Amino acid sequence: MPRHYFENRGNVPAAVPPGDYILKLIAFEARLSQAGNDTYELKFEVQPSGVHVYDHWTFTAKAGWWIDVCMKALGIAPTVDEIEMEIDDAYMQGLVGVRGWATLAIDEYQGKKRNKLVAWITDKPIPAREATPTPASEGLPGEEMVEESIPF
């Protein structure tokens, strides 16, 4: 009798073919690397496929170049040549929704194919940031709720 191993997969492919794609930052998580260094794991959506890929910002002198190139590709690099920045959860939350170009490859592990981010592309136009919908209950940014405008 045939058997099926249910993995609760969505209607999204596991990987896209190797190539250049627009990535949109959709989430992040602060972590510690195996060596104990501060790290942010960044979760990106490959557009328009919906496939997810991950990047890591590890805060060491050796890995700083990768963060610089990522910032340039996403259009969030500082406008000065050198600056020490405070990167915390509030800063990262402000980046959710930024988009940029990256080159993806296929990585196969234990028979499963996934995409791997191999390079950020800084010489293509930076895609516009997609607007994040505001829930109706919150009103518009900068708009104050006036007691008389509440319908009950």
Side-chain angles (χ1 to χ4, degrees):
M1 171 180 275
R3 294 186 177 267
H4 173 71
Y5 179 70
F6 180 76
E7 296 182 57
N8 198 23
R9 293 174 282 214
N11 192 18
V12 174
V16 294
D20 295 347
Y21 294 91
I22 293 175
L23 303 185
K24 175 184 172 185
L25 180 63
I26 60 171
F28 64 91
E29 183 178 348
R31 296 180 169 211
L32 286 178
S33 71
Q34 290 177 344
N37 297 307
D38 289 322
T39 300
Y40 272 105
E41 180 180 71
L42 309 175
K43 182 177 183 179
F44 290 91
E45 177 183 270
V46 180
Q47 296 194 316
S49 71
V51 169
H52 294 154
V53 295
Y54 295 85
D55 192 14
H56 295 88
W57 285 6
T58 302
F59 297 94
T60 65
K62 281 186 172 182
W65 70 272
W66 182 260
I67 297 171
D68 288 356
V69 173
C70 177
M71 287 180 149
K72 288 177 190 174
L74 295 172
I76 58 170
T79 56
V80 295
D81 287 340
E82 292 184 29
I83 186 171
E84 186 171 347
M85 301 172 62
E86 222 21 77
I87 297 180
D88 57 13
D89 286 356
Y91 174 84
M92 295 301 294
Q93 187 61 47
L95 300 182
V96 172
V98 296
R99 303 185 318 152
W101 285 94
T103 301
L104 303 180
I106 297 284
D107 189 31
E108 191 168 340
Y109 179 71
Q110 296 182 345
K112 292 186 179 185
K113 292 182 179 180
R114 294 192 177 138
N115 285 114
K116 179 180 181 179
L117 196 157
V118 294
W120 284 103
I121 301 170
T122 60
D123 61 354
K124 287 189 178 188
I126 298 165
R129 184 181 194 146
E130 289 185 346
T132 305
T134 303
S137 63
E138 292 182 17
L140 298 174
E143 181 179 276
E144 293 183 31
M145 288 294 279
V146 179
E147 197 170 313
E148 294 86 37
S149 68
I150 301 174
F152 50 87

